[in-house]
Amino acid sequence: MMTLNNTLNDLYQNITENLYYNGTNEVSWLNKIFTNTSFGYRFLERITFTNFRHSLYLISPYETTVDSIEKVPNYNIQVSTWWLVLIFIEFIILHLRKEDEKFALNDSITSISAGMLSQCFKFGGRAIAIFGYVFVWNNFRILELPWDSPWTWILCLFTQDFMYYLGHRAVHEAGFFWGLHTIHHSSEYYNFSTALRQAAIQDAGLALYDILQAFFIPPPIFLVHRYFSEIFQFWMHTSLIGSLGPLGIIFNTPSYHRVHHGRNAYCIDKNYGGVFIIWDKMFNTFEPERLDDPPIYGLVTPEKTFNQLYLQFHTIYDILIKKGLMKDEKGNPIFPGFINKVKAALFPPGYFPGSDIYLFFHWFSMKDPSKGIPEIKKPIIKYNPIIPTWIKLYCLLHFILLLSIFLHFEYDRDHLGYIDFTLKIAFFITSMQAFGAFFDDKWYANIIEIFRCIGVIIYYCIKLTDHIGFGPSRIFVLTLFSSSLLMWIGYTFEQLKNRRKRRISDENGKGHINVISKKEMFLDMEMNVNGINEKMKKKKIASEVDNKKETQTVDMFMKEDDEKEYQSNVVKMMDNEKPPDEPIHEKKTNNVKMPE
């Protein structure tokens, strides 16, 4: 493996020696175009064969083994530019294949934003579990395996994936833990951007299972595989890759993971594996993809919003609080008493009294996860509110800017002060909420955007007083957000003006409608009277029969001449009718009151 890796690295260096490097560690052509702190430099610097290889978990112990966690690079950041490139390429391919229904701008921006938010909540860019991991390793380790041994590295490859299986299964089945993971399954689309739709605090649920390795696996080896286990699964989130044949015997594949994301009954609680699928086959949670019943993506009850914070956290509240307060159709509590409410919070999300469950590890699992899953109604109508195209383009432009600021943030976060760090997190969250409000077509989207623009302008005006001063990027950001602020203020006032006009028009329209209603009521009265007259055409004539003294009722129809005369009289009556707002006089005609 070491020989193969060295050969690939040598080949890569020979190919790119003249293109990228000039005998130093700097990328020469990038230095001629960009400064080393610019977005262009930092983005293109990562588009390398090594990072692409890393995205596929094609690594060796010799290139990734270090003696301390401080020396472990943030591999997520290194491969992140490849993720963005692959997302763009996938969109192009789907568009050329006329499969535009497999992606949407609003959904992809929401997914990528979730990935950014999840990185913001990881201290130092590392998995939150590493702190507890180091503590257990330093104080309670049972066996100290050598950190520089390839066998330790290979052992950790399998132990980390097995612990991921346990943790992944727990956040699906262990009650409110599902709320830590729901957002990842909330998309109704399945593409590379869905892979980045991560929960901000999911690591809190996975930490317990990561730390179990601390009794014998050195922390830096664990952290390396923790990174690459997550990175590898990016490739699982696509519909472009079909069956991988024999590789599917051992490894997880996009086909298997599509089942995991499906809301079909047969897809529920299946295929938890990260790198390997063998754990699912061992513990009876494996299910292959059915071509005659392809997965329909999303939650059993689809989310109808792009609100980032709501998607991140509402399920935790739903399971911890709302589920225990549910009542049946008679108004009786479904989970009466304290113990049952605890079960509602800790037992599987689909659990209700009477459900068949069994103990697995330290939580309970459903014996039949497909039980109670409603049949999917077809055709599938995905949540996609219609908004003006110019608003979509506006959100796309500002999202690209948000991405560039975030990539700078990831580069510089270790050197940021607390205030600057907090303000950038606030900017990210506010931007995501603004995009979600626009995509949901909410009335308050303009308000959020106005305050967001004001905040950015104030921040950069203050930054202009530092030693950098009026840098080109700062001038660009100030110009963009100032223009956006003026646009949204004008647009909001125009909306209020139009809304006021519509309200006045509606009020005037109501008065007009009342007048029309009187006329319509009068005409209806005429039609009713005419209908009664038609019925009166039938007369009942009683004739006595001398011998039988019976009364015989016969229908006597008006003669043709009488009929014509009757219709002529009605027409004249309607032509000479007085307006409905004048008093209505009555006269008797054939014992029926007619308006004069």
Side-chain angles (χ1 to χ4, degrees):
M1 183 178 292
M2 182 177 181
T3 303
L4 176 61
N5 181 69
N6 291 338
T7 302
L8 290 174
N9 283 335
D10 291 342
L11 177 62
Y12 170 71
Q13 290 177 2
N14 290 333
I15 293 175
T16 60
E17 182 176 0
N18 295 325
L19 178 62
Y20 273 86
Y21 299 98
N22 59 353
T24 68
N25 290 328
E26 296 181 350
V27 184
S28 59
W29 68 272
L30 283 178
N31 286 329
K32 294 177 181 178
I33 303 175
F34 305 103
T35 62
N36 59 4
T37 58
S38 67
F39 171 73
Y41 185 97
R42 290 176 169 179
F43 185 89
L44 295 174
E45 182 188 31
R46 303 173 192 171
I47 305 297
T48 65
F49 173 75
T50 298
N51 286 339
F52 182 78
R53 177 168 55 82
H54 285 176
S55 73
L56 291 165
Y57 214 148
L58 296 177
I59 59 176
S60 73
Y62 302 99
E63 67 174 318
T64 56
T65 299
V66 292
D67 60 353
S68 67
I69 59 173
E70 288 76 16
K71 295 180 181 179
V72 178
N74 189 331
Y75 290 107
N76 278 338
I77 297 301
Q78 291 186 2
V79 303
S80 59
T81 49
W82 272 115
W83 287 343
L84 297 176
V85 170
L86 290 169
I87 288 171
F88 180 74
I89 292 174
E90 183 189 41
F91 285 174
I92 296 298
I93 294 174
L94 290 174
H95 179 70
L96 293 177
R97 293 172 57 171
K98 301 186 184 303
E99 297 178 358
D100 293 341
E101 74 281 356
K102 293 185 177 181
F103 67 90
L105 178 67
N106 47 20
D107 184 81
S108 293
I109 287 180
T110 303
S111 294
I112 299 172
S113 296
M116 295 162 58
L117 191 62
S118 70
Q119 289 298 313
C120 290
F121 278 81
K122 291 181 179 179
F123 298 98
R126 316 279 179 151
I128 193 173
I130 194 63
F131 298 105
Y133 196 103
V134 171
F135 177 79
V136 172
W137 170 261
N138 289 336
N139 297 280
F140 303 104
R141 63 178 178 267
I142 299 173
L143 179 64
E144 185 172 351
L145 296 176
W147 65 267
D148 56 349
S149 170
W151 297 110
T152 303
W153 191 95
I154 294 172
L155 175 64
C156 186
L157 168 66
F158 287 94
T159 57
Q160 165 57 33
D161 197 63
F162 177 59
M163 292 303 162
Y164 175 82
Y165 171 85
L166 292 178
H168 191 188
R169 185 168 176 177
V171 296
H172 272 263
E173 299 179 353
F176 73 92
F177 273 44
W178 170 235
L180 306 176
H181 186 60
T182 313
I183 187 173
H184 183 61
H185 288 263
S186 62
S187 175
E188 296 182 277
Y189 301 84
Y190 193 78
N191 49 56
F192 281 144
S193 69
T194 310
L196 306 184
R197 199 182 186 100
Q198 297 294 327
I201 56 175
Q202 177 176 293
D203 279 349
L206 299 176
L208 171 64
Y209 312 96
D210 289 335
I211 291 174
L212 290 177
Q213 302 168 77
F215 292 105
F216 55 94
I217 299 291
I221 307 302
F222 152 75
L223 186 56
V224 166
H225 286 292
R226 181 70 170 81
Y227 272 131
F228 283 105
S229 174
E230 184 178 291
I231 291 169
F232 174 78
Q233 293 179 60
F234 175 85
W235 289 96
M236 300 298 103
H237 298 81
T238 181
S239 61
L240 295 179
I241 301 175
S243 173
L244 295 182
L247 288 177
I249 298 175
I250 298 176
F251 293 100
N252 193 12
T253 68
S255 176
Y256 297 155
H257 204 64
R258 285 194 288 269
V259 172
H260 178 71
H261 274 258
R263 56 187 173 101
N264 314 52
Y266 81 92
C267 298
I268 303 300
D269 292 347
K270 300 296 182 182
N271 300 355
Y272 294 114
V275 177
F276 301 106
I277 201 66
I278 54 178
W279 319 117
D280 289 286
K281 294 180 177 180
M282 289 172 58
F283 296 103
N284 199 32
T285 53
F286 172 72
E287 186 70 39
E289 186 176 19
R290 301 178 186 178
L291 298 180
D292 60 337
D293 187 15
I296 305 299
Y297 307 112
L299 300 173
V300 172
T301 302
E303 302 279 22
K304 300 297 182 183
T305 183
F306 294 107
N307 186 316
Q308 185 69 222
L309 294 181
Y310 178 84
L311 291 172
Q312 288 279 355
F313 301 111
H314 83 94
T315 305
I316 299 176
Y317 173 78
D318 289 347
I319 296 179
L320 281 176
I321 306 298
K322 293 178 67 175
K323 184 179 178 182
L325 299 177
M326 292 177 65
K327 296 182 179 180
D328 59 20
E329 62 276 3
K330 296 181 180 180
N332 299 320
I334 296 178
F335 297 94
F338 177 75
I339 298 299
N340 283 314
K341 286 179 170 52
V342 171
K343 290 181 179 179
L346 299 181
F347 281 22
Y351 167 82
F352 286 92
S355 300
D356 292 329
I357 57 177
Y358 67 97
L359 183 65
F360 178 81
F361 204 50
H362 67 85
W363 68 86
F364 287 93
S365 298
M366 302 285 289
K367 286 187 177 180
D368 183 9
S370 64
K371 188 176 182 180
I373 301 300
E375 184 178 353
I376 298 175
K377 296 180 180 180
K378 297 182 179 180
I380 306 299
I381 301 177
K382 298 176 181 177
Y383 177 70
N384 190 17
I386 298 175
I387 62 175
T389 302
W390 71 268
I391 292 183
K392 292 182 181 179
L393 294 175
Y394 175 88
C395 290
L396 178 61
L397 172 63
H398 277 263
F399 176 71
I400 293 173
L401 178 62
L402 177 70
L403 264 180
S404 65
I405 295 174
F406 176 77
L407 291 176
H408 282 301
F409 169 79
E410 285 296 317
Y411 253 107
D412 304 329
R413 65 187 298 170
D414 293 336
H415 309 291
L416 294 175
Y418 289 111
I419 295 178
D420 212 19
F421 183 90
T422 303
L423 289 175
K424 280 187 166 58
I425 296 293
F427 168 71
F428 296 147
I429 294 175
T430 306
S431 299
M432 295 171 191
Q433 291 302 104
F435 297 150
F438 280 125
F439 294 146
D440 285 335
D441 197 22
K442 297 296 185 181
W443 64 268
Y444 52 79
N446 302 6
I447 308 301
I448 297 177
E449 185 63 10
I450 287 173
F451 280 102
R452 186 177 80 102
C453 291
I454 292 174
V456 172
I457 292 170
I458 294 174
Y459 174 81
Y460 274 92
C461 285
I462 295 174
K463 295 289 283 185
L464 291 177
T465 61
D466 64 14
H467 66 283
I468 298 177
F470 289 82
S473 60
R474 292 179 175 181
I475 298 300
F476 170 76
V477 172
L478 277 172
T479 302
L480 176 63
F481 277 89
S482 298
S483 303
S484 299
L485 175 62
L486 294 175
M487 181 191 74
W488 285 113
I489 290 176
Y491 181 73
T492 301
F493 275 110
E494 186 67 22
Q495 280 188 318
L496 293 174
K497 183 179 177 181
N498 292 336
R499 189 175 300 172
R500 185 172 180 273
K501 287 182 178 180
R502 285 196 300 268
R503 185 171 64 250
I504 295 174
S505 177
D506 290 343
E507 290 175 355
N508 293 336
K510 287 180 181 179
H512 181 64
I513 290 172
N514 289 337
V515 174
I516 294 176
S517 297
K518 290 179 181 178
K519 292 182 179 179
E520 289 179 346
M521 181 178 65
F522 179 69
L523 293 176
D524 287 343
M525 185 183 298
E526 287 182 338
M527 294 176 66
N528 290 335
V529 169
N530 292 340
I532 294 174
N533 281 332
E534 288 292 334
K535 293 180 181 179
M536 291 298 295
K537 293 177 186 178
K538 293 184 178 182
K539 296 180 179 180
K540 295 183 180 180
I541 302 175
S543 61
E544 293 183 357
V545 180
D546 294 336
N547 297 331
K548 298 182 179 180
K549 294 183 180 181
E550 293 179 350
T551 302
Q552 183 179 8
T553 302
V554 296
D555 291 334
M556 299 294 294
F557 295 95
M558 301 178 77
K559 294 181 180 180
E560 185 176 354
D561 293 338
D562 293 336
E563 177 72 10
K564 292 180 179 179
E565 182 180 358
Y566 173 80
Q567 293 179 357
S568 177
N569 291 335
V570 171
V571 171
K572 290 179 181 179
M573 176 193 68
M574 295 180 66
D575 290 339
N576 297 327
E577 195 57 61
K578 295 181 179 180
D581 53 350
E582 294 185 9
I584 297 177
H585 303 285
E586 297 176 351
K587 70 176 182 179
K588 291 186 178 180
T589 304
N590 295 330
N591 297 325
V592 179
K593 294 182 180 180
M594 292 287 292
E596 191 175 33

